[in-house]
Amino acid sequence: MSEKRDTQSGLVVSAHSADFVWRAGGAIALHVQQGYQMHIVCLSYGERGESAKLWRKGNVTEAAVKETRQQEAQHAAELLGATIEFFDLGDYPLRADEKILLRLADVYRRVQPHFVLTHPMQDPYNYDHPLAFNLAMEARIIAQAEGYRPGEKVLEAPPVYCFEPHQPEQCNWKPDVLLNISEVWERKYAAIQCMRGQEHLWEYYTRVALQRGVQAKRNIGITSHKAISHAEGFQSIYPRVTEKLA
Amino acid sequence: MSEKRDTQSGLVVSAHSADFVWRAGGAIALHVQQGYQMHIVCLSYGERGESAKLWRKGNVTEAAVKETRQQEAQHAAELLGATIEFFDLGDYPLRADEKILLRLADVYRRVQPHFVLTHPMQDPYNYDHPLAFNLAMEARIIAQAEGYRPGEKVLEAPPVYCFEPHQPEQCNWKPDVLLNISEVWERKYAAIQCMRGQEHLWEYYTRVALQRGVQAKRNIGITSHKAISHAEGFQSIYPRVTEKLA
Amino acid sequence: MSEKRDTQSGLVVSAHSADFVWRAGGAIALHVQQGYQMHIVCLSYGERGESAKLWRKGNVTEAAVKETRQQEAQHAAELLGATIEFFDLGDYPLRADEKILLRLADVYRRVQPHFVLTHPMQDPYNYDHPLAFNLAMEARIIAQAEGYRPGEKVLEAPPVYCFEPHQPEQCNWKPDVLLNISEVWERKYAAIQCMRGQEHLWEYYTRVALQRGVQAKRNIGITSHKAISHAEGFQSIYPRVTEKLA
Amino acid sequence: MSEKRDTQSGLVVSAHSADFVWRAGGAIALHVQQGYQMHIVCLSYGERGESAKLWRKGNVTEAAVKETRQQEAQHAAELLGATIEFFDLGDYPLRADEKILLRLADVYRRVQPHFVLTHPMQDPYNYDHPLAFNLAMEARIIAQAEGYRPGEKVLEAPPVYCFEPHQPEQCNWKPDVLLNISEVWERKYAAIQCMRGQEHLWEYYTRVALQRGVQAKRNIGITSHKAISHAEGFQSIYPRVTEKLA
Amino acid sequence: MSEKRDTQSGLVVSAHSADFVWRAGGAIALHVQQGYQMHIVCLSYGERGESAKLWRKGNVTEAAVKETRQQEAQHAAELLGATIEFFDLGDYPLRADEKILLRLADVYRRVQPHFVLTHPMQDPYNYDHPLAFNLAMEARIIAQAEGYRPGEKVLEAPPVYCFEPHQPEQCNWKPDVLLNISEVWERKYAAIQCMRGQEHLWEYYTRVALQRGVQAKRNIGITSHKAISHAEGFQSIYPRVTEKLA
Amino acid sequence: MSEKRDTQSGLVVSAHSADFVWRAGGAIALHVQQGYQMHIVCLSYGERGESAKLWRKGNVTEAAVKETRQQEAQHAAELLGATIEFFDLGDYPLRADEKILLRLADVYRRVQPHFVLTHPMQDPYNYDHPLAFNLAMEARIIAQAEGYRPGEKVLEAPPVYCFEPHQPEQCNWKPDVLLNISEVWERKYAAIQCMRGQEHLWEYYTRVALQRGVQAKRNIGITSHKAISHAEGFQSIYPRVTEKLA
């Protein structure tokens, strides 16, 4: 890992090792293309809860599932152009104590991200996702504190965006940002195809990208005239500071 | 009125003739400085409900109050660099029938705004403000319809921002945009001083600008390093379409 | 009608002629007992929508239903110690134009209420109730305006309380005030019994009063040690201004 | 129109003449297949706001657009097996006075629906849709009133379901019912293809049906083992009364 | 414990040993009558926080309070026809670590419930209730994971219903299901009477059942013509999948 | 510490050692003036997260920062007339186990507060604040339980008020109480000036007090005619029980 601090960077906190692909693969690839250093933290491999197909083959150990999942995620990250690290905390349930919290705060300090992507705060289908949200949020705040590892460069206030959950309305998730990922869609779809254990989701998330693309076209003002075919939705946690409203 | 359609423009829909000053004076001046053509529609003069000081002088007619209010608003608009027109619909209560709705739709068609500023959708202290919001929203949608005055250039989908009400939490208003108006604060304060009938609000809205300025500083990421002393808050109605998250 | 302006007073805006009994009969009787002049405005008699029992008898005219309803309401108001007036606007649907709005604003000016009771702002079972809420709210605001009938004594800012709807959770109604009506319960129940056309509601609203009474006991701090058996719930629209938190 | 009152029936209130197809075509076809008499009321033809393709051809009158739209809707209703009537109120803006409200109440009385489908209550992209919702809701309540056209059979309390808007999260729409329309999908898609003026929506609503289908599979308990490929989502307004929780 | 997996079953997760009686006794008895195997998990006896009457007698140990509470709950479960088990985790505060979470997941695997009943997610009067909700929710999700105890039959997706809290509006609880428990009311009331330590609640929850019964009658469509005197309210967490809207 | 139990008292639970000054200094001074015994619990010194200025001086240890912060808080409490104790739990992150929870419950038992002040339940800028809220809430409930330390005088049901966070709208905080602190403003400002490490906040919270003062004047009914210049806002958690609505 060799993030340079003078380039722009982004941080993705993913509960399981495939979440960053379905939910933020376009944002990652797009910002890499714009010169950002994108870094992904996978809190777990999703070995218990999101590897059904692997388990159903039978005669498989947890270690083997984790290894497969790590390879898939590593490969996907490479295709997207991002660095990736694995905390291997276990899933279903995912748990994080204070030590893990500070470990993530240290990642923030090191990466100094210009923006952060993570899960939304509610998900009645998944308890690991809100935990990842809270961990990402609290670690960010600690990394901003002058009194945490005094002397280190503190984190400024990067915006946090919650990416799209599997059943958005049930999570009370409401996108206020639609990111045009049309230019990098092929790269995202290539990364999606790394996830061999969840093939049933490939077309689901292709359709998500197409629907968000149509919606993006409906919300465009006069300023932007780029063609849009695919998009990703995000919900902001903080107000954005700007000098331009159009 | 001679808005050119090839320059960038913004539209402000103000229930009473002073609202645009307190709530959006900074946004207006800032975008004028950036080359935008800003246009203001005042639905009423606020003659009944927002001219207490004028009435308390006694021996005054409604016509006189309206004239005073018009002059103040005209003067403020000039200082901000905007054009202004008055619908003179009366206030307390403000009412608008279908004819007025279409008149405003026609303003949208003429101005072709790149963004729109108006009141928030709730205000338990004021029924004219939500009416202005609904009128601005519905007129915008009609101006987008191919079948309304077919042949005219239809409106695209400009973002709509709700500016700050007098008691923000009571209106369930939550800013997701903080606009840095530090550079144009002096101009906004000059416009505020045109409102001689509501002098008690001058310092109130100065403090609002300072508080939002402090909050803006707290929400700034690494990208922006401009000094911020004053800000205005806005709540977006629609998701924004973008290609950059930082 | 002979309200004296120097005594304390309260105003109740009731969509149909029985609403004030079920929902605010205790508050009315209690404040009358405390020396308040309580005045009730019934916007309609509820002749179409809340007089099922009368219609089912057959061979009855709308005029007769209205007369019966007026007598019941008049009698109930007398038992509670309040004055009452009827706007007779019709129900199902209830509608109010600007003239009616100003007529109600004039009642506010005349009564100068220290507090206001009306319906909540949502009710998926009843469209007349939210209309009454909005009418009561907007009229109150107009009565506060210096420019409405200039020279008259303007209304100050009386708190508005929304009384309990028939299916409280479905209306998103959440009481933040529990009024101890134990001392006047007998009087409220006598008023309830005037409503001969809706006998099926007598026991329903008795149970409501008992449930709110139990809840009130659960929310009492150390300061108050009065016995509580019956209560009425209310939801405030505005923050209350106070100098004491216990 | 020849609804028999002794069969089960359903009523659909559609703001524009194509809404019922995109949003409820599956529910209509499915209940027709189950023996329900389904009846559709189109409040307008959507001639101004939802016929862009027709207008863009040029040289077309509003009368011609309306006729085309009526034919498309009539054809779609036939394919779905439903009866249809047109109120022709105009769109953008849609407006309905008390006479229209009572006309719709009379439809309720005639059809005596066992359930009702209409638009959700919020839509920042469309003011005609919430108006249709409110009209459908208030007319239903009036049709329940003993005092409205006394002597007629009153309406009982049919459940109301809000169908899916174009941008669901932006409308704060949250489905609590997922209807398995797999068996009638072909019929719905045939009806969709009648809408020649909005061909860009065909694939959009095909994807919506597939996404809701995947979500339905995720929410199925043990009881139901039918295959699900396509679904429609609905949001209930009222609690359902039942004797079984699984 | 001898639940057969081929019969239909339901699971109730109760924070304290009496909650299942007040809040879900009717649902339990009704489904037992319909042939369901109902199983109750009591996380604690409510020995500290919900046994005031027992403590006020004085000269009593915590062990004695727990024994009394267990006997009452056991007796109530028998009257309702359900099996019951006690986790004995302690109350005020109730706490559950990962081991407890997995223990409950194992109950899900064993019972394979067709539906789940538990507390709502918010309660400002009680911190044990939301904890029980979260435990029941997360354990259900773990029991669905292929990688948890691979080889075991995984749980499908049973609906979860939150039963009624003591002060429903204060918990933001909004029932979307009203269960007609009229036929089993006598059995529920017999179970209620087992709770000798909380006699003050007997009449409170009788009135709750009567109020929900009246509300159920107000929400019934044409399809159902059963008499309703008593009901229980529930709030669904997940959308229901169905093929019928009436 | 020598709180007498027969006087009226209030309890303030403050996450960091300065929170009680900015957010509740007026309420504390005002109730002290009214004869209340006010007691403050500081869960941490805010040494890491809220002492930036001290750290920036360099060459400083955490122990030294804590000592400075303790002195400042002690001094401020004295000026306000309150007693204070420090739990010294550490901040960023603040964590509290069951032992701490019971320690706080014991403070409740000892102080027997008539009202409680603490942080709001949400704050995306601060995870210690919601933790303090939850700790204060759960400890209060335990102190009410007969079975916790049986034989001790249990706590009644004191109201809980959430004081104003730094960015109120972002915390979904909505004040329903505006406390007139005009008489004690000088004392609050003196306490504010003790906070030498956060001088940038002095004017910020002065403006907050002025804004809330203006808002209080806007919400005053006829009953109260005191002059108001400064106020503090609070959000109630529980409904208040009363016998008077004006």
Side-chain angles (χ1 to χ4, degrees):
Chain A
M1 276 165 285
S2 62
E3 302 86 357
K4 278 167 283 175
R5 271 154 215 188
D6 48 340
T7 58
Q8 288 189 297
S9 60
L11 178 65
V12 185
V13 180
S14 180
H16 310 101
S17 61
D19 286 322
F20 73 88
V21 182
W22 319 114
R23 312 186 190 295
I28 295 168
L30 186 67
H31 286 82
V32 165
Q33 182 175 290
Q34 291 170 11
Y36 280 74
Q37 170 81 34
M38 295 300 299
H39 185 65
I40 301 155
V41 172
C42 289
L43 300 175
S44 81
Y45 295 108
E47 58 268 28
R48 282 188 179 174
E50 311 202 341
S51 307
K53 199 180 152 193
L54 296 171
W55 288 108
R56 282 186 199 135
K57 289 194 292 195
N59 259 339
V60 70
T61 62
E62 196 165 281
V65 169
K66 286 163 66 169
E67 199 188 321
T68 303
R69 296 278 293 176
Q70 169 158 4
Q71 285 165 2
E72 291 176 357
Q74 195 92 46
H75 190 198
E78 278 160 28
L79 289 177
L80 297 171
T83 51
I84 189 166
E85 70 185 290
F86 299 93
F87 275 22
D88 190 13
L89 304 178
D91 73 327
Y92 285 63
L94 178 63
R95 289 291 183 268
D97 59 17
E98 194 173 324
K99 207 176 125 192
I100 299 298
L101 174 65
L102 300 184
R103 182 176 167 195
L104 187 58
D106 292 343
V107 173
Y108 273 99
R109 284 275 174 95
R110 195 183 74 226
V111 174
Q112 295 282 342
H114 292 238
F115 67 95
V116 182
L117 305 178
T118 192
H119 296 268
M121 74 184 75
Q122 292 174 39
D123 194 334
Y125 299 93
N126 198 307
Y127 268 59
D128 296 354
H129 291 173
L131 186 143
F133 167 79
N134 281 305
L135 195 72
M137 288 286 289
E138 191 168 15
R140 172 184 171 282
I141 292 166
I142 291 172
Q144 293 180 299
E146 293 275 351
Y148 176 68
R149 299 194 186 282
E152 279 191 15
K153 180 175 176 348
V154 299
L155 181 68
E156 300 206 31
V160 176
Y161 299 96
C162 300
F163 40 59
E164 179 158 352
H166 193 65
Q167 299 192 46
E169 299 94 352
Q170 304 304 323
C171 300
N172 298 319
W173 176 86
K174 181 175 176 173
D176 63 320
V177 175
L178 293 167
L179 186 75
N180 180 5
I181 62 164
S182 309
E183 281 183 54
V184 296
W185 168 250
E186 292 308 323
R187 199 161 316 156
K188 175 168 180 175
Y189 193 64
I192 280 178
Q193 287 170 303
C194 299
M195 300 297 138
R196 317 209 133 270
Q198 292 167 288
E199 205 173 331
H200 61 294
L201 294 179
W202 296 7
E203 292 319 300
Y204 187 84
Y205 281 102
T206 298
R207 290 191 299 262
V208 166
L210 289 167
Q211 300 300 85
R212 297 298 172 199
V214 173
Q215 291 169 10
K217 272 189 283 190
R218 287 273 189 124
N219 285 289
I220 272 200
I222 303 173
T223 353
S224 174
H225 280 297
K226 278 207 163 172
I228 303 185
S229 57
H230 296 75
E232 278 175 354
F234 296 95
Q235 180 168 8
S236 309
I237 294 297
Y238 301 105
R240 87 189 145 103
V241 182
T242 187
E243 301 191 347
K244 221 159 179 253
L245 293 175
Chain B
M1 275 164 285
S2 64
E3 302 86 359
K4 279 167 283 173
R5 270 153 214 188
D6 49 340
T7 57
Q8 289 188 296
S9 61
L11 178 65
V12 185
V13 180
S14 181
H16 310 100
S17 61
D19 286 322
F20 74 88
V21 182
W22 319 113
R23 313 187 190 295
I28 295 168
L30 186 67
H31 285 82
V32 165
Q33 182 175 289
Q34 292 171 11
Y36 280 73
Q37 169 80 35
M38 295 300 299
H39 185 66
I40 301 155
V41 172
C42 288
L43 300 175
S44 80
Y45 295 109
E47 59 268 27
R48 282 189 179 175
E50 311 203 340
S51 307
K53 201 180 151 192
L54 296 171
W55 287 107
R56 283 188 198 132
K57 288 195 292 197
N59 259 339
V60 70
T61 63
E62 196 165 283
V65 169
K66 285 163 67 169
E67 199 188 322
T68 304
R69 296 278 293 176
Q70 169 159 2
Q71 286 165 0
E72 291 176 357
Q74 195 93 47
H75 190 199
E78 276 160 29
L79 288 177
L80 297 171
T83 51
I84 189 165
E85 69 185 293
F86 300 93
F87 276 22
D88 189 13
L89 304 178
D91 72 328
Y92 284 63
L94 177 64
R95 289 291 183 268
D97 60 16
E98 194 172 325
K99 207 176 125 193
I100 298 298
L101 174 65
L102 299 184
R103 181 176 167 195
L104 187 58
D106 291 342
V107 174
Y108 273 99
R109 284 274 174 95
R110 194 182 75 225
V111 174
Q112 295 282 342
H114 292 238
F115 67 94
V116 182
L117 305 179
T118 191
H119 296 268
M121 74 184 77
Q122 292 174 39
D123 193 335
Y125 299 93
N126 198 307
Y127 267 59
D128 296 354
H129 291 173
L131 186 142
F133 167 79
N134 282 305
L135 195 71
M137 288 286 289
E138 191 168 16
R140 172 185 171 280
I141 291 167
I142 290 171
Q144 293 180 300
E146 293 275 352
Y148 176 68
R149 300 194 187 281
E152 279 192 16
K153 180 174 175 349
V154 300
L155 181 67
E156 302 208 29
V160 176
Y161 300 97
C162 299
F163 40 58
E164 180 158 352
H166 194 65
Q167 299 193 45
E169 299 94 352
Q170 305 304 324
C171 301
N172 298 320
W173 177 86
K174 182 176 176 173
D176 63 320
V177 175
L178 293 168
L179 187 73
N180 180 2
I181 61 163
S182 310
E183 282 184 55
V184 296
W185 168 250
E186 292 309 323
R187 198 160 318 156
K188 175 168 179 175
Y189 194 64
I192 280 178
Q193 288 169 303
C194 299
M195 299 298 138
R196 316 210 133 271
Q198 292 167 288
E199 205 172 333
H200 60 294
L201 294 178
W202 297 7
E203 292 319 301
Y204 188 84
Y205 282 101
T206 298
R207 290 191 298 262
V208 165
L210 290 166
Q211 300 300 84
R212 297 298 171 199
V214 173
Q215 292 169 10
K217 272 188 283 192
R218 286 273 189 126
N219 285 289
I220 272 200
I222 304 173
T223 354
S224 174
H225 280 296
K226 279 209 163 169
I228 302 185
S229 57
H230 296 75
E232 278 175 353
F234 296 95
Q235 180 168 9
S236 310
I237 294 297
Y238 300 106
R240 88 188 144 104
V241 182
T242 185
E243 301 192 346
K244 221 159 179 251
L245 293 174
Chain C
M1 275 166 286
S2 62
E3 302 86 359
K4 279 166 284 174
R5 271 152 215 189
D6 48 340
T7 58
Q8 289 188 297
S9 61
L11 178 65
V12 185
V13 180
S14 181
H16 311 101
S17 62
D19 286 322
F20 74 88
V21 181
W22 319 113
R23 312 187 190 294
I28 295 168
L30 186 67
H31 285 83
V32 165
Q33 182 175 290
Q34 291 171 11
Y36 281 72
Q37 169 80 35
M38 296 298 301
H39 185 66
I40 301 155
V41 172
C42 288
L43 300 175
S44 80
Y45 295 109
E47 59 269 27
R48 281 189 181 175
E50 310 203 340
S51 308
K53 201 180 151 193
L54 295 172
W55 287 107
R56 282 187 199 134
K57 288 195 292 195
N59 259 339
V60 68
T61 63
E62 196 165 282
V65 169
K66 285 164 68 169
E67 199 188 322
T68 304
R69 296 277 294 176
Q70 169 158 3
Q71 285 164 0
E72 290 176 0
Q74 196 91 47
H75 190 199
E78 276 160 30
L79 288 177
L80 297 171
T83 51
I84 189 165
E85 70 184 294
F86 300 92
F87 275 22
D88 190 14
L89 305 177
D91 72 329
Y92 284 63
L94 178 64
R95 289 291 182 269
D97 60 16
E98 196 173 323
K99 208 176 124 193
I100 298 298
L101 174 64
L102 300 184
R103 182 176 168 195
L104 187 58
D106 291 342
V107 173
Y108 273 98
R109 284 275 173 94
R110 194 182 75 225
V111 174
Q112 295 281 341
H114 292 238
F115 67 94
V116 181
L117 305 179
T118 191
H119 296 267
M121 74 183 76
Q122 292 174 39
D123 193 335
Y125 299 94
N126 199 307
Y127 268 58
D128 296 353
H129 291 173
L131 186 143
F133 168 78
N134 282 306
L135 194 71
M137 288 287 289
E138 192 168 16
R140 172 184 171 280
I141 291 166
I142 291 172
Q144 293 181 299
E146 292 276 352
Y148 176 68
R149 300 194 187 282
E152 279 192 14
K153 179 174 175 353
V154 300
L155 181 68
E156 301 208 30
V160 176
Y161 299 97
C162 299
F163 39 59
E164 180 158 351
H166 194 65
Q167 299 192 46
E169 298 94 352
Q170 304 304 324
C171 300
N172 298 320
W173 177 86
K174 182 176 176 172
D176 64 321
V177 175
L178 293 167
L179 187 74
N180 180 3
I181 61 162
S182 310
E183 281 183 54
V184 296
W185 168 250
E186 293 307 324
R187 199 161 316 156
K188 175 168 179 175
Y189 193 64
I192 281 178
Q193 287 170 303
C194 299
M195 299 298 138
R196 318 212 130 267
Q198 291 167 290
E199 204 173 333
H200 61 293
L201 294 179
W202 297 7
E203 292 319 302
Y204 188 84
Y205 282 101
T206 299
R207 290 191 299 262
V208 166
L210 289 166
Q211 301 301 84
R212 297 299 172 199
V214 173
Q215 291 170 11
K217 272 188 282 192
R218 285 274 188 125
N219 285 291
I220 273 202
I222 304 174
T223 353
S224 174
H225 280 297
K226 280 208 164 173
I228 302 185
S229 56
H230 296 74
E232 279 175 354
F234 296 95
Q235 180 167 10
S236 310
I237 294 298
Y238 300 105
R240 88 188 144 104
V241 182
T242 186
E243 301 191 346
K244 221 159 179 251
L245 293 174
Chain D
M1 275 164 285
S2 63
E3 303 86 0
K4 277 166 286 175
R5 272 153 213 188
D6 49 340
T7 57
Q8 290 189 297
S9 60
L11 179 64
V12 185
V13 180
S14 181
H16 311 100
S17 62
D19 286 321
F20 74 89
V21 181
W22 318 113
R23 313 186 190 296
I28 295 169
L30 186 67
H31 285 83
V32 165
Q33 182 175 291
Q34 292 171 11
Y36 281 72
Q37 170 80 35
M38 296 299 300
H39 185 67
I40 301 155
V41 173
C42 288
L43 300 174
S44 81
Y45 294 109
E47 59 269 25
R48 282 190 181 173
E50 311 204 340
S51 307
K53 201 180 150 193
L54 297 171
W55 288 107
R56 283 188 199 132
K57 288 195 292 195
N59 258 340
V60 69
T61 62
E62 195 165 282
V65 169
K66 285 163 69 169
E67 199 187 321
T68 303
R69 295 279 292 176
Q70 169 159 3
Q71 285 165 1
E72 290 177 359
Q74 195 92 46
H75 190 198
E78 276 160 30
L79 287 177
L80 297 171
T83 51
I84 190 165
E85 68 185 295
F86 300 93
F87 276 22
D88 190 14
L89 304 177
D91 73 326
Y92 284 63
L94 177 64
R95 288 291 182 268
D97 60 16
E98 194 173 325
K99 207 175 124 193
I100 298 299
L101 174 65
L102 300 183
R103 181 175 167 195
L104 187 58
D106 291 342
V107 174
Y108 273 99
R109 283 276 173 94
R110 194 182 73 226
V111 174
Q112 295 283 339
H114 291 238
F115 67 94
V116 181
L117 305 178
T118 191
H119 296 268
M121 73 183 77
Q122 292 174 39
D123 193 335
Y125 299 93
N126 198 307
Y127 268 59
D128 296 354
H129 291 173
L131 186 143
F133 167 78
N134 282 305
L135 195 71
M137 288 287 288
E138 191 168 16
R140 172 185 171 279
I141 291 166
I142 291 171
Q144 292 181 299
E146 293 275 353
Y148 176 67
R149 299 195 187 281
E152 279 192 15
K153 180 172 175 355
V154 299
L155 181 67
E156 303 209 27
V160 176
Y161 299 97
C162 299
F163 40 58
E164 180 158 351
H166 194 65
Q167 299 192 47
E169 299 94 353
Q170 304 304 324
C171 301
N172 298 320
W173 177 86
K174 182 176 177 175
D176 63 321
V177 175
L178 293 168
L179 187 74
N180 180 3
I181 61 162
S182 310
E183 282 183 54
V184 296
W185 168 251
E186 292 307 324
R187 199 160 316 156
K188 175 167 180 175
Y189 193 64
I192 280 177
Q193 288 170 303
C194 299
M195 300 297 138
R196 317 211 133 269
Q198 291 166 289
E199 204 172 332
H200 61 294
L201 294 179
W202 297 7
E203 292 320 301
Y204 188 83
Y205 282 102
T206 299
R207 290 191 299 263
V208 165
L210 289 167
Q211 301 301 85
R212 298 298 172 199
V214 173
Q215 292 170 10
K217 272 189 281 192
R218 285 275 189 124
N219 286 289
I220 272 202
I222 304 173
T223 352
S224 174
H225 280 297
K226 279 208 165 170
I228 303 185
S229 57
H230 296 74
E232 279 175 354
F234 295 95
Q235 180 167 10
S236 310
I237 294 298
Y238 300 106
R240 87 188 145 103
V241 182
T242 186
E243 302 192 345
K244 221 157 179 256
L245 293 175
Chain E
M1 275 165 287
S2 62
E3 301 86 359
K4 278 167 283 172
R5 270 153 215 187
D6 48 340
T7 58
Q8 289 188 298
S9 61
L11 179 64
V12 185
V13 179
S14 180
H16 311 100
S17 62
D19 286 321
F20 73 89
V21 182
W22 319 113
R23 311 186 191 295
I28 295 169
L30 186 67
H31 285 83
V32 165
Q33 181 175 291
Q34 291 171 11
Y36 280 72
Q37 170 80 34
M38 296 299 300
H39 185 66
I40 301 155
V41 172
C42 288
L43 299 175
S44 80
Y45 295 109
E47 59 268 27
R48 281 190 179 173
E50 311 203 341
S51 307
K53 200 180 152 194
L54 295 171
W55 288 107
R56 282 186 199 135
K57 287 195 294 195
N59 258 339
V60 69
T61 63
E62 195 164 283
V65 169
K66 285 164 67 169
E67 199 188 322
T68 303
R69 295 277 294 176
Q70 170 159 1
Q71 285 165 1
E72 290 177 359
Q74 196 92 46
H75 190 199
E78 277 161 28
L79 288 177
L80 296 171
T83 51
I84 189 167
E85 70 185 293
F86 300 92
F87 275 23
D88 190 13
L89 304 178
D91 74 327
Y92 284 62
L94 178 64
R95 288 291 183 270
D97 59 17
E98 195 174 323
K99 208 176 124 193
I100 298 299
L101 174 64
L102 299 183
R103 182 176 166 194
L104 187 58
D106 291 343
V107 173
Y108 273 99
R109 283 277 173 94
R110 195 182 75 224
V111 173
Q112 295 282 341
H114 292 238
F115 68 94
V116 181
L117 305 179
T118 191
H119 296 267
M121 75 184 74
Q122 292 175 38
D123 193 335
Y125 299 94
N126 198 307
Y127 268 58
D128 297 355
H129 291 173
L131 186 143
F133 167 79
N134 282 305
L135 194 72
M137 288 287 288
E138 191 168 16
R140 172 184 171 280
I141 291 166
I142 290 172
Q144 293 180 300
E146 292 275 352
Y148 176 68
R149 299 195 187 282
E152 278 192 15
K153 180 175 175 354
V154 299
L155 181 68
E156 301 207 29
V160 175
Y161 299 97
C162 299
F163 40 59
E164 179 158 352
H166 194 64
Q167 299 192 45
E169 298 94 353
Q170 304 304 323
C171 301
N172 298 320
W173 177 86
K174 181 175 176 174
D176 63 321
V177 175
L178 294 167
L179 186 74
N180 180 4
I181 62 163
S182 309
E183 281 184 54
V184 297
W185 169 250
E186 292 307 323
R187 200 161 315 156
K188 175 167 181 177
Y189 194 64
I192 280 178
Q193 287 170 303
C194 298
M195 299 297 137
R196 317 211 132 269
Q198 290 167 289
E199 205 173 331
H200 60 294
L201 294 178
W202 297 7
E203 292 320 301
Y204 187 84
Y205 281 101
T206 298
R207 289 191 299 262
V208 166
L210 289 166
Q211 300 301 84
R212 297 300 172 198
V214 173
Q215 291 170 9
K217 273 189 282 192
R218 285 274 188 126
N219 285 290
I220 271 201
I222 304 174
T223 353
S224 174
H225 280 297
K226 278 208 164 173
I228 302 185
S229 56
H230 296 75
E232 279 175 354
F234 296 96
Q235 180 168 10
S236 309
I237 293 297
Y238 301 106
R240 87 188 145 104
V241 183
T242 186
E243 301 191 347
K244 221 158 179 254
L245 293 175
Chain F
M1 275 164 287
S2 63
E3 302 87 358
K4 278 167 283 173
R5 272 154 215 188
D6 48 340
T7 58
Q8 289 189 297
S9 60
L11 178 65
V12 185
V13 180
S14 180
H16 311 101
S17 62
D19 287 320
F20 74 89
V21 182
W22 318 114
R23 313 185 191 296
I28 296 169
L30 186 66
H31 286 83
V32 165
Q33 181 175 293
Q34 291 170 13
Y36 280 72
Q37 169 81 35
M38 296 299 299
H39 185 66
I40 300 155
V41 172
C42 288
L43 299 174
S44 81
Y45 294 108
E47 59 268 29
R48 282 189 179 174
E50 311 201 341
S51 307
K53 199 179 153 195
L54 296 172
W55 288 107
R56 281 185 200 137
K57 289 195 291 196
N59 257 341
V60 69
T61 62
E62 195 165 284
V65 169
K66 284 163 69 170
E67 200 188 320
T68 304
R69 295 278 293 176
Q70 169 158 4
Q71 285 165 1
E72 290 176 0
Q74 195 92 46
H75 190 198
E78 276 160 29
L79 288 177
L80 298 171
T83 52
I84 189 166
E85 69 185 295
F86 300 93
F87 275 23
D88 190 14
L89 304 177
D91 73 327
Y92 284 64
L94 177 64
R95 289 291 182 268
D97 60 16
E98 194 173 323
K99 209 175 123 193
I100 298 299
L101 174 64
L102 300 183
R103 182 176 166 194
L104 187 58
D106 292 342
V107 173
Y108 273 98
R109 284 276 173 93
R110 195 182 75 227
V111 174
Q112 296 282 340
H114 292 237
F115 67 95
V116 182
L117 306 178
T118 191
H119 296 268
M121 74 183 76
Q122 292 174 41
D123 194 335
Y125 298 93
N126 198 306
Y127 267 59
D128 296 355
H129 291 174
L131 187 143
F133 167 78
N134 283 304
L135 195 71
M137 288 287 288
E138 191 168 15
R140 173 185 171 279
I141 291 166
I142 290 171
Q144 293 180 300
E146 293 275 352
Y148 176 67
R149 300 195 187 281
E152 279 192 15
K153 180 172 174 355
V154 299
L155 181 68
E156 302 207 29
V160 175
Y161 299 97
C162 299
F163 40 58
E164 179 158 351
H166 194 66
Q167 300 192 47
E169 298 93 353
Q170 305 303 324
C171 300
N172 299 318
W173 177 85
K174 182 175 176 173
D176 64 320
V177 175
L178 293 168
L179 187 75
N180 181 3
I181 61 163
S182 309
E183 282 184 54
V184 296
W185 169 250
E186 292 307 323
R187 199 161 315 155
K188 174 167 180 175
Y189 194 64
I192 279 177
Q193 288 170 304
C194 298
M195 300 297 138
R196 317 210 133 269
Q198 292 167 288
E199 205 173 330
H200 61 293
L201 294 179
W202 296 7
E203 292 320 301
Y204 188 84
Y205 282 102
T206 298
R207 290 191 299 262
V208 166
L210 289 166
Q211 300 300 84
R212 298 297 173 198
V214 174
Q215 291 169 11
K217 272 189 282 192
R218 285 275 189 125
N219 285 288
I220 272 201
I222 305 173
T223 352
S224 174
H225 279 297
K226 279 206 163 173
I228 303 185
S229 57
H230 296 74
E232 279 175 353
F234 296 95
Q235 180 168 9
S236 310
I237 294 297
Y238 301 105
R240 85 188 147 105
V241 182
T242 186
E243 301 191 346
K244 222 157 179 256
L245 293 174

